[in-house]
Amino acid sequence: MTPPAEQSAVHDEEAGTGQGRGGKGPAPPADAATPGTEPEGRADDEGTGEGPGKHAGREVSRKGARAGVRKGVRPGRHAGSGGGGTVRQGELTRAVTSLRDHLGAFNLLLDVPGVQEAREARDELRDQLQDYVLPRIQAAGAPMLVVLGGSTGAGKSTLVNTLVGARVSATGVLRPTTSSPILVCHPDHARWFLEGPLLPGMGRVRGPAPDAIAGDQLVVITSDVLPPGLALLDSPDFDSVFEDHFEFATKLMAAADLWLCVTTAARYADAQVWQMLQRARENGATIGVVLSRVPQGDGTQSDEVVEHFGEMLDEHQVGDARRFTIPETRVENSRLPVETVEDVRAWLTGVAEDAEDREIVISDTLAAVLDSFRTRVPELARQVEAQVEQRAELAGQVEAGYGTALAELDEATRNGSLLRGEVLARWQEFAGTGDLQRSLRVQRSKRGRSARRRSRSPARVRALKAALRGGLESLIMASAEHGADQVIVRWRDHPAGRQVLAAADAELGHVSPELSRRVTRAVSAWQDHVQELIRTEGVTKRSVAKLVSFDTEAVSLVLMIGLLGYGTSDVAVEGGTSAVPQRLLKALFGAESLRGMGAKARADLRSRIGMLFDEEAIRFGQVLDSAGIPDETVPVQLYQATYNLEVAR
């Protein structure tokens, strides 16, 4: 079956909605320029970020906002104008919230192949919905957030300081220098970043913060140099030796309207750089790249570096990212010479100051992020299905373990193996001392005397009944113990089972404490059921009905002995063959009636034992539940939530 999200994606494509960043997306706005249609002579400036002044930079910014970026649904489509837009925004908010909640409602417990990547993907999806998508849908007029990410020593903080014209982010030889993310914005937006919905899981502290601050606080600093509508966020190094810095970096990248990757001419080929660019592309971010510390002097080496960097961008499918280069130069007061970053400044400020360009970048990123859920959520759902399959296998092992025990018990109640020891001794007393014959009364006996005799069960009848009950109870308990042991053995042979057993608190290798009481009730109820069958369905053959009456309790014990396999083993009874149960019962009731009662009695016994074993097996199901392994409803909910999100868009 095609997942709902994939069905929706196919439907969108067939409906002619165009191609988004994720491969399928809404059609571009009519006023958006098509990539590659700009006047000739600008391509070199655009590719290298060299040369234009501030005014020219604004012209380039408009192209930069459009060039290489698929056009998505603008925030206005979600927020709208008037009641219809409000309704659509509400539907989209509910769909996003539902998807976020479903992503947080399960754990990927089992260590199946790819599970670590799936755990990270689940956390990234949930964080991006919470940190970026919901705030952006609910506050379409918020500033454009540009997150600078890069490897250790790439010069992110220096670039931020230069763009702002002040030392707002720490730089230095100690690595890493940026422990807490530094956000710089226009004073008009300080309250929104300090109190708004963006990155709700992070604390806030008002800057300035000239030195590194440890912890997960978002340091918010205001600057009049930045225009309204633009905010810069200097994130921790994504290749930091501190693991939490990498987590912050990826979290902040997913919350960016525009992610600006900063790397150097010496380290741009590092695998970590391309992993992060790939992650940003898959997450739907609008991407820009800055290649810093490019050698000066002889242009050959510089050109080779820039050219190779461009080839690698194309190779990793991020060739449409806006590119800038910064030459190797002096750094004074934690800042670069202003002219070296003028292209970056012109692009960012130009986009921020032009409401249309800013809206395009923000809406493109939002649409691309939403597009990315079409593949990212189903991929995660397939990983959840792998967990579900493992859970089903473990549940199947429980069923197989108790099924084997039940089959062995069924055989043991047929082959006469129960008729030994105490049961055999009581049967021999009952059958060999005349009590069996006396349970069959000749009709010419006085009615009153027969009634009085029937009202009293001989001691040997009671003893045989108790021995049968005790023997059957012991057999059932031993089989249940064997069933539990079988499940434990099977789980220990299964990788997921070993993991579940290691975390389980319950004592699963033995029967539950209350089983003995339940078995006693079940066996007693079965004996009563057999006696009731004799009373209600034991129609005496016509040939003997006028001559013989019988004691239902005693005859029910004879039927039980026959059902339990009398004559199929080496059991022998002193006193001849006249007491053989099958022969006696057939002579009394006839073959057809005997077969009917025997089948019903055996089916009832098996049903009662099966229910006992099912109750025992519930303990293993409870362990699977408490372990947090997702069941089959979880991936279905993820597919449905993705489909609902597509419908809400």
Side-chain angles (χ1 to χ4, degrees):
M1 181 180 293
T2 304
E6 296 180 6
Q7 293 173 355
S8 176
V10 172
H11 173 75
D12 285 351
E13 186 175 17
E14 292 175 349
T17 55
Q19 296 294 316
R21 177 178 294 272
K24 306 179 185 71
D31 61 345
T34 303
T37 61
E38 283 75 13
E40 295 182 3
R42 297 291 185 98
D44 292 340
D45 289 344
E46 247 181 76
T48 62
E50 297 176 354
K54 185 172 183 179
H55 179 73
R58 292 198 181 181
E59 292 299 317
V60 172
S61 74
R62 293 197 175 100
K63 294 186 294 181
R66 296 173 170 85
V69 178
R70 302 280 194 254
K71 305 306 180 287
V73 180
R74 299 188 182 186
R77 175 178 174 181
H78 305 304
S81 58
T86 302
V87 171
R88 296 295 294 172
Q89 181 184 10
E91 292 175 355
L92 184 58
T93 299
R94 285 190 294 272
V96 170
T97 302
S98 175
L99 178 56
R100 178 204 62 189
D101 293 344
H102 283 306
L103 288 168
F106 65 90
N107 291 315
L108 296 165
L109 175 77
L110 301 178
D111 294 329
V112 298
V115 68
Q116 187 57 40
E117 293 80 1
R119 290 166 182 161
E120 294 174 359
R122 190 272 304 270
D123 293 343
E124 288 180 12
L125 284 164
R126 186 177 54 188
D127 290 346
Q128 193 168 27
L129 287 166
Q130 179 69 22
D131 297 345
Y132 173 74
V133 177
L134 279 172
R136 186 50 76 188
I137 292 172
Q138 297 168 351
M144 180 179 71
L145 179 62
V146 178
V147 176
L148 285 80
S151 54
T152 302
K156 297 183 288 78
S157 300
T158 303
L159 179 57
V160 171
N161 292 338
T162 308
L163 293 172
V164 176
R167 184 174 182 267
V168 294
S169 190
T171 63
V173 295
L174 295 178
R175 304 295 179 198
T177 50
T178 305
S179 295
S180 289
I182 307 295
L183 187 147
V184 189
C185 65
H186 190 274
D188 292 348
H189 303 312
R191 183 174 180 181
W192 192 85
F193 283 111
L194 284 168
E195 303 175 8
L198 188 72
L199 297 167
M202 297 188 70
R204 303 288 197 276
V205 59
R206 186 183 289 272
D211 298 312
I213 297 177
D216 59 351
Q217 299 290 315
L218 180 63
V219 181
V220 179
I221 302 173
T222 60
S223 172
D224 291 323
V225 175
L226 292 184
L230 175 64
L232 303 177
L233 197 159
D234 182 11
S235 68
D237 305 327
F238 53 61
D239 62 348
S240 170
V241 294
F242 299 109
E243 185 176 349
D244 58 347
H245 286 193
F246 174 80
E247 295 174 359
F248 288 157
T250 55
K251 185 181 182 73
L252 296 171
M253 177 182 68
D257 294 308
L258 190 155
W259 190 65
L260 196 59
C261 177
V262 184
T263 186
T264 67
R267 298 194 59 185
Y268 70 84
D270 289 355
Q272 191 87 23
V273 174
W274 301 102
Q275 289 172 5
M276 292 299 288
L277 281 168
Q278 179 71 13
R279 186 188 293 256
R281 187 182 69 84
E282 292 174 351
N283 286 6
T286 297
I287 302 172
V289 291
V290 176
L291 182 63
S292 67
R293 300 181 186 171
V294 177
Q296 297 192 77
D298 184 2
T300 303
Q301 182 180 3
S302 173
D303 293 343
E304 288 178 352
V305 170
V306 174
E307 182 180 355
H308 184 242
F309 182 54
E311 291 173 355
M312 293 191 71
L313 287 171
D314 292 333
E315 180 183 341
H316 288 83
Q317 300 180 358
V318 285
D320 60 349
R322 185 63 190 275
R323 310 173 194 179
F324 301 92
T325 60
I326 297 176
E328 181 73 50
T329 186
R330 69 187 186 282
V331 177
E332 294 182 358
N333 297 324
S334 300
R335 284 178 278 174
L336 297 164
V338 175
E339 63 274 11
T340 62
V341 302
E342 186 59 32
D343 296 336
V344 181
R345 183 201 307 278
W347 183 52
L348 296 178
T349 58
V351 171
E353 291 175 345
D354 188 297
E356 182 182 358
D357 284 353
R358 185 174 69 249
E359 183 180 317
I360 288 174
V361 170
I362 292 173
S363 63
D364 283 349
T365 300
L366 177 58
V369 170
L370 294 176
D371 288 345
S372 74
F373 295 153
R374 295 172 179 169
T375 55
R376 293 164 67 194
V377 178
E379 286 173 0
L380 176 63
R382 285 189 283 273
Q383 280 291 334
V384 177
E385 288 170 344
Q387 301 267 323
V388 174
E389 290 174 4
Q390 295 289 296
R391 175 180 179 136
E393 288 182 12
L394 295 181
Q397 299 286 17
V398 176
E399 184 177 351
Y402 279 102
T404 299
L406 183 60
E408 293 173 352
L409 178 60
D410 194 47
E411 176 62 22
T413 57
R414 292 175 182 272
N415 61 17
S417 60
L418 185 63
L419 303 179
R420 292 183 173 86
E422 179 72 12
V423 177
L424 177 59
R426 300 288 79 79
W427 166 251
Q428 288 175 334
E429 288 179 0
F430 174 68
T433 58
D435 282 349
L436 177 57
Q437 287 79 1
R438 282 190 292 272
S439 67
L440 305 175
R441 300 176 182 84
V442 179
Q443 287 286 355
R444 61 175 175 266
S445 301
K446 293 182 178 180
R447 297 283 184 179
R449 184 181 302 173
S450 298
R452 287 194 298 273
R453 287 179 179 176
R454 284 196 296 271
S455 66
R456 299 193 304 270
S457 297
R460 292 186 182 90
V461 171
R462 295 194 300 271
L464 176 58
K465 187 175 184 178
L468 277 172
R469 182 173 60 247
L472 196 52
E473 288 175 8
S474 297
L475 182 61
I476 295 172
M477 290 293 292
S479 295
E481 187 87 16
H482 181 60
D485 184 65
Q486 281 287 305
V487 177
I488 294 296
V489 170
R490 292 168 183 264
W491 277 19
R492 284 175 179 164
D493 290 339
H494 194 289
R498 289 195 297 271
Q499 187 176 345
V500 171
L501 287 174
D505 296 329
E507 181 58 48
L508 298 174
H510 302 286
V511 299
S512 59
E514 63 273 13
L515 178 62
S516 177
R517 176 173 49 83
R518 294 202 303 264
V519 169
T520 297
R521 288 204 307 265
V523 174
S524 296
W526 178 68
Q527 289 183 319
D528 293 342
H529 175 74
V530 175
Q531 187 172 338
E532 184 66 14
L533 283 175
I534 295 294
R535 188 182 69 81
T536 58
E537 300 188 21
V539 180
T540 311
K541 289 170 60 177
R542 287 185 180 183
S543 59
V544 296
K546 295 180 179 181
L547 302 175
V548 178
S549 65
F550 56 85
D551 182 276
T552 57
E553 184 177 26
V555 174
S556 70
L557 292 176
V558 177
L559 178 59
M560 294 176 203
I561 291 293
L563 290 174
L564 295 175
Y566 180 90
T568 59
S569 65
D570 56 354
V571 176
V573 178
E574 297 177 1
T577 60
S578 62
V580 174
Q582 292 298 114
R583 182 181 303 173
L584 173 62
L585 294 172
K586 188 178 296 185
L588 187 60
F589 300 115
E592 184 176 353
S593 178
L594 180 60
R595 279 196 301 270
M597 288 189 296
K600 290 180 180 180
R602 180 166 292 283
D604 184 76
L605 176 62
R606 199 176 195 284
S607 174
R608 293 179 190 276
I609 297 174
M611 285 190 292
L612 290 172
F613 282 12
D614 288 344
E615 291 172 348
E616 285 293 285
I618 288 174
R619 299 178 303 145
F620 291 91
Q622 291 171 338
V623 168
L624 293 177
D625 290 338
S626 62
I629 305 173
D631 60 25
E632 63 276 2
T633 65
V634 174
V636 174
Q637 291 170 346
L638 289 176
Y639 288 128
Q640 186 62 51
T642 307
Y643 173 77
N644 293 342
L645 177 59
E646 286 296 302
V647 172
R649 294 178 64 187

